[in-house]
Amino acid sequence: MDFATITGLLSLLTLIVLVLCGVVLYLSVKMISLRNTVIRLNKQIKQGALCDSKTDAH
């Protein structure tokens, strides 16, 4: 293998690693926002359930 082939393979490998890092970062941000959305929905559901039980009691 000559120098050009090694350089090409290294640049290709670097590109693949960068793309993988980008995908992992994107997915982690998506998961965090999804978790925050679920927490917010759970709070709303709990508040809604509390309000419903109060109105039912009256």
Side-chain angles (χ1 to χ4, degrees), residues 2-56:
D2 57 342
F3 185 70
T5 314
I6 295 173
T7 310
L9 285 176
L10 279 177
S11 62
L12 188 66
L13 192 66
T14 307
L15 185 70
I16 291 173
V17 168
L18 283 175
V19 168
L20 283 176
C21 286
V23 168
V24 167
L25 276 173
Y26 175 76
L27 286 178
S28 62
V29 167
K30 279 287 182 188
M31 290 301 290
I32 290 172
S33 64
L34 186 67
R35 196 182 73 196
N36 287 343
T37 306
V38 168
I39 291 173
R40 195 179 320 125
L41 281 176
N42 282 341
K43 285 181 182 176
Q44 287 179 353
I45 289 171
K46 285 178 184 175
Q47 286 176 354
L50 286 174
C51 290
D52 289 344
S53 62
K54 285 180 184 174
T55 51
D56 289 343

